[in-house]
Amino acid sequence: MSEIIIVPHAKIYAYILEKFSDGFNYLLDITAIDYSEYIIKQEEDFALVYILRHENFKEHLVLKTYLPELKIETISDVFKGADWLEREVYDQYGITFVNHPNLRRILNHKEFIGHPLCKSYPITKGQFLYETDDLLDEMNNRLLSKSVVCKLESGSFSECNKDLMFLNLGPSHPASHGTIRTFVALDGETIECAVSEIGYLHRGFEKSCENHTYNQIVPYTDRLNYCSAISNNIAFVKAVEEMLGVAINERIQAIRVMLLELSRIEDHVVCLAAVLVDMGGLTNYWYMYNPREDIYDLLSKLTGARLTNSYMRVGGMANDLYEGFEADLQEVIKKVQYGVAQTLSLIKHNRIFHDRTQNVGVISAENAISYAMTGPNLRATGVAFDMRKDAPYYGYEKYKFDVVVGSVGDVYDRVMVRFGEIDESIKIINQVMQNLPEGEINVKNASIALPKKEAVYTTIEGAMNQFKLTFEGVKVPLGEHYSSIEATNGELGFFIVSDGSGTPYKVKVKAPSFTAMSAYPEIVEGGQLADAILTLGSLNIIAGEMDR
Amino acid sequence: MELNSPSLEVAITTTLDEAIGWARESSLWPMIFGTACCAIEFMSVAASKYDISRFGAEVVRFSPRQADLLIVAGTITYKQAPILKQIYEQMSEPKWVISMGACACSGGFYDNYTTLQGIDEIIPVDLYVGGCPPRPEALIDALLSLQNDLRTNKYNPNRHKDFKGRLDHV
Ligand code: SF4
């Protein structure tokens, strides 16, 4: 279980500021907990949780503060990333952040009444939206804050010295990946101001977790970052296993590492294929997408599903590698390498590619940290933060690989970092497969792993065990825990609150796409409209993970 | 060309409906309304291995005004619903709708406060494809069956005249 520091609510701002100057300058997540139905009565019904990471990237802190009233000081002046995170807490729990610049709903729609993650909100109570938000007031505030217009005494706006045109990019737009909306004010082709609206794919993952057992949640995690489903499975079961305090053997660890890296490849190829299509390079799409099909074939042979694998279980995985897996894997890797080589030969010395990507969509390292960007997007700015190196798990320290970093933080760097990471992932996979340890693929513990099928069909204990584990779920000890891995888009974390039963009391995902998207408006402002499209593609925003 | 020219020796007689059905069959222009995981499977359908162009439906449009087949691939939330409706209304007749995946058909396993329990609460649907996500073959099968129906003129242009969705104002 994570060590949790309790801070009185009146002191939280000062405390965070103090920690900030101690080097905890990276805000991973903010969330709340509604304790009103918790098994042990707590000080207050609501508590806020802040998760911070140190600038050495090795340590993290979990702070908790109980709220006597649903109100607290904002920290959005300390961390840029706090803006959206606090909006989410406001939206889901109704907690007000005093002095927040733009406290409005973010995931749920504007006609929504109530706060869905409160325990009192019924899980299936849907609410229709009749008209989409026009975002005009948000845009006006943005225009004012950037002094594009100013407010006159009469309350109306001053004449603008620019001839602005307003345009919606998305949500139904091919380059906005279906679910992301950015409302822009254009001066010619230049974006003066941008505001993004998300939540179009908010599917209530976190609320759904509260009425499913731990193993039933695994399929839901598939659909967070659906481009690399297995890495979400692993992040989730890793958090639960840590809460249970079970150690998994080396074989399980090694297979997980291998699948994590395979997912990374799977995810990067689709991101790169899409970004090159956005640039008009359709040929690359065929080169990059074909190896993905080969990965699908391999995974469906292994797990039974192409995309939504649900392969992990608490305490292990669904089944062992099949015979001949390694040969198939080597074939797939060859095809990936071929696809990557062909694509690189098309773009490496391609003038159009360089002109369109270099110094486009730039974010500085400092800003990226303030927005809590992670993964390839952060590494593209030159910050060599990689959980696999800085806070290794599953024996990553044993494997030889390099962290790929960029220097400018532009589209070019983000694309090239991903190309580099594909090579590094292949290196890791090869090292894993060279000496794959022997062993069971599930922990030997009747209260965690399902019994063997023979035992279920032939013994009463086996049948009872199966029944209890399936219906009641794996019982996780009382407590609160944050755990994370280096997923394809960056640090993917789960904060879980358990009340001792087989169903989590609360689950919160620290989603890398969410924080990356919160930086997007600032990145694209001042740039060209066409570059905004490329920037979005290169950030690899996956709506399922961002909106949850 | 003169009627008795050698190249027109063979004449085919047909009804106008049949001729139109035959023409429509292989000139469907899909508009993909992809929101989630199912949209990734649609990418596979369009890529070389499954290659939807073999069936004459590869001109994927992202503008509803240029499309006559709406493929809804992915979860539709209450927040997304008015947009889906607007897109559907912007398509000109005749038009068809395929609902791809469990989410679009029924909300899938997202039985909660965010997710529309099936797009047919909002817009009329012609074909449902199950699966989470459906394999590419399943979508191709849906397309083939739609083409078959078009060829045989199954679709009455007024078939959805009385449809009333939850967002249609009284
Ligand atoms: S049906 Fe399944 S795969 Fe398709 S969008 Fe819904 S959850 Fe994703």
Side-chain angles (χ1 to χ4, degrees), chain A residues 106-108 116 123-130 171-172 174 178-179 197-204 207-208 220 223 226 285-286 289-290 292-293 296-297 306-308, chain B residues 31 33-37 40-41 43-44 46-50 62 75 77-80 82-83 87 109-116 121-122 132-133 135-136 166-167 169:
Chain A
I106 186 162
L107 294 179
N108 294 299
I123 177 162
T124 51
K125 186 178 162 204
Q127 301 184 22
F128 274 93
L129 168 70
Y130 291 91
S172 181
T179 38
E197 193 194 20
I198 64 166
Y200 285 101
L201 195 58
H202 177 47
R203 304 190 268 195
K207 188 90 175 173
S208 286
Y220 280 97
R223 286 140 182 96
Y226 33 70
Y285 178 71
W286 316 124
Y289 208 86
N290 282 351
R292 192 175 156 94
E293 283 292 344
Y296 277 158
D297 286 346
R306 283 160 55 87
L307 189 67
T308 44
Chain B
M31 142 109 203
F33 194 89
T35 60
C37 353
I40 306 287
E41 275 302 68
M43 287 172 83
S44 286
S48 8
K49 186 164 173 190
Y50 292 95
F62 286 98
T75 320
T77 59
Y78 289 112
K79 193 167 180 173
Q80 185 83 272
I83 294 155
I87 296 278
F109 71 173
Y110 292 101
D111 183 12
N112 60 32
Y113 66 95
T114 58
T115 305
L116 189 67
E121 291 197 21
I122 306 290
C132 183
R135 285 187 65 95
R166 298 283 297 268
L167 297 184
H169 294 292

Side-chain angles (χ1 to χ4, degrees), chain A residues 78-361:
Chain A
V78 187
F79 303 94
K80 287 187 174 176
D83 183 336
W84 278 29
L85 290 169
E86 290 182 341
R87 276 174 67 186
E88 186 188 328
V89 176
Y90 163 72
D91 184 3
Q92 301 281 48
Y93 288 94
I95 295 168
T96 311
F97 291 86
V98 184
N99 297 330
H100 188 287
N102 182 28
L103 198 62
R104 43 163 50 226
R105 287 190 184 275
I106 186 162
L107 294 179
N108 294 299
H109 56 74
K110 70 169 198 282
E111 290 169 21
F112 200 90
I113 299 167
H115 300 282
L117 284 194
C118 292
K119 288 284 171 186
S120 55
Y121 192 92
I123 177 162
T124 51
K125 186 178 162 204
Q127 301 184 22
F128 274 93
L129 168 70
Y130 291 91
E131 216 158 300
T132 309
D133 197 350
D134 59 14
L135 295 181
L136 274 178
D137 53 339
E138 211 178 331
M139 176 56 92
N140 283 339
N141 288 339
R142 190 96 183 174
L143 288 168
L144 281 174
S145 72
K146 302 199 79 191
S147 330
V148 179
V149 292
C150 29
K151 212 164 202 158
L152 297 177
E153 263 171 41
S154 62
S156 60
F157 288 134
S158 68
E159 274 287 314
C160 178
N161 51 2
K162 291 180 177 140
D163 189 11
L164 291 185
M165 186 183 114
F166 294 93
L167 187 72
N168 265 310
L169 290 177
S172 181
H173 182 282
S176 79
H177 304 222
T179 38
I180 301 160
R181 175 179 179 202
T182 304
F183 186 45
V184 292
L186 291 172
D187 177 21
E189 286 276 310
T190 311
I191 298 176
E192 282 296 326
C193 276
V195 288
S196 289
E197 193 194 20
I198 64 166
Y200 285 101
L201 195 58
H202 177 47
R203 304 190 268 195
F205 169 78
E206 281 145 2
K207 188 90 175 173
S208 286
C209 288
E210 294 173 13
N211 70 351
H212 287 79
T213 63
Y214 286 94
N215 273 326
Q216 279 177 331
I217 293 170
V218 171
Y220 280 97
T221 63
D222 275 340
R223 286 140 182 96
L224 290 172
N225 181 351
Y226 33 70
C227 289
S228 52
I230 294 187
S231 54
N232 305 287
N233 294 172
I234 295 177
F236 178 72
V237 295
K238 175 170 172 278
V240 180
E241 284 157 6
E242 284 170 8
M243 294 179 86
L244 286 163
V246 291
I248 53 169
N249 69 25
E250 291 206 335
R251 183 175 177 83
I252 304 177
Q253 296 189 7
I255 294 180
R256 283 188 182 170
V257 167
M258 183 264 296
L259 289 173
L260 269 173
E261 297 310 317
L262 193 64
S263 317
R264 199 179 314 279
I265 297 173
E266 188 189 13
D267 194 297
H268 285 354
V269 293
V270 76
C271 165
L272 293 168
V275 91
L276 291 168
V277 171
D278 288 348
M279 220 177 292
L282 195 62
T283 318
N284 303 291
Y285 178 71
W286 316 124
Y287 279 129
M288 290 303 258
Y289 208 86
N290 282 351
R292 192 175 156 94
E293 283 292 344
D294 296 314
I295 298 178
Y296 277 158
D297 286 346
L298 179 76
L299 288 181
S300 38
K301 219 166 151 185
L302 178 66
T303 69
R306 283 160 55 87
L307 189 67
T308 44
N309 312 95
S310 304
Y311 186 53
M312 293 300 149
R313 299 288 181 273
V314 176
M317 57 197 72
N319 49 276
D320 208 340
L321 303 181
Y322 61 87
E323 218 168 289
F325 175 83
E326 191 170 354
D328 286 357
L329 181 68
Q330 289 310 332
E331 254 335 277
V332 167
I333 287 178
K334 270 195 216 117
K335 297 208 173 126
V336 171
Q337 283 168 327
Y338 175 78
V340 168
Q342 294 294 319
T343 311
L344 279 176
S345 73
L346 284 172
I347 60 168
K348 222 175 186 169
H349 303 291
N350 183 329
R351 176 83 192 274
I352 303 173
F353 173 72
H354 286 266
D355 286 353
R356 288 227 46 205
T357 56
Q358 291 195 354
N359 293 315
V360 165

Side-chain angles (χ1 to χ4, degrees), chain A residues 434-447:
Chain A
Q434 261 160 25
N435 49 37
L436 192 65
E438 292 295 317
E440 290 283 321
I441 44 105
N442 272 306
V443 291
K444 271 214 166 69
N445 184 333
S447 62

Side-chain angles (χ1 to χ4, degrees), chain A residues 437-489:
Chain A
E438 292 295 317
E440 290 283 321
I441 44 105
N442 272 306
V443 291
K444 271 214 166 69
N445 184 333
S447 62
I448 295 174
L450 287 177
K452 293 232 156 35
K453 279 284 168 290
E454 304 93 72
V456 179
Y457 293 133
T458 53
T459 64
I460 184 83
E461 294 79 24
M464 281 301 292
N465 194 353
Q466 168 94 13
F467 180 84
K468 280 194 80 120
L469 267 182
T470 310
F471 277 80
E472 293 172 5
V474 181
K475 299 255 164 59
V476 174
L478 207 79
E480 295 164 9
H481 183 60
Y482 174 78
S483 157
S484 59
I485 64 163
E486 183 72 33
T488 47
N489 266 343

Side-chain angles (χ1 to χ4, degrees), chain A residues 352-385:
Chain A
I352 303 173
F353 173 72
H354 286 266
D355 286 353
R356 288 227 46 205
T357 56
Q358 291 195 354
N359 293 315
V360 165
V362 182
I363 181 160
S364 67
E366 192 192 343
N367 251 344
I369 289 180
S370 190
Y371 275 113
M373 271 193 175
T374 47
N377 296 335
L378 177 66
R379 290 192 283 272
T381 68
V383 181
F385 166 45

